[in-house]
Amino acid sequence: MIANKGDNVTVHFYNLETEPTGRHSFTIGAPYNIDKETIGGQSAVVSFIADHEGVFRYYCKFHTPEMRGQLMVVP
């Protein structure tokens, strides 16, 4: 994902597992400190302001290192 500094970022997060025990998360560390979990069949929305420049790793804490990506915040 790429955002400009100051952008409002909204992530629509869908857990497509069919069993409720199939957990996933959208987790990103400092400075954003987001950790949203879902069970199978749930969805969630995470919103935040991209107020720090740099590259930040996001991941599923239940399925690392397979499920991961990067948020790049540019000036």
Side-chain angles (χ1 to χ4, degrees):
M1 293 188 291
I2 299 175
N4 294 306
K5 185 175 181 182
D7 281 355
N8 185 15
V9 177
T10 301
V11 177
H12 296 267
F13 174 50
Y14 301 91
N15 183 337
L16 300 178
E17 300 287 339
T18 56
E19 298 296 322
T21 56
R23 296 170 67 189
H24 288 281
S25 75
F26 177 81
T27 305
I28 188 168
Y32 296 105
N33 299 317
I34 297 167
D35 186 24
K36 184 69 175 174
E37 294 183 24
T38 61
I39 61 171
Q42 282 188 336
S43 62
V45 177
V46 176
S47 293
F48 59 97
I49 296 174
D51 55 358
H52 292 85
E53 293 177 28
V55 178
F56 307 94
R57 190 181 96 158
Y58 61 87
Y59 56 95
C60 173
K61 65 184 179 183
F62 301 106
H63 299 96
T64 56
E66 296 87 9
M67 294 184 172
R68 62 183 174 184
Q70 292 182 332
L71 165 67
M72 180 184 297
V73 181
V74 297

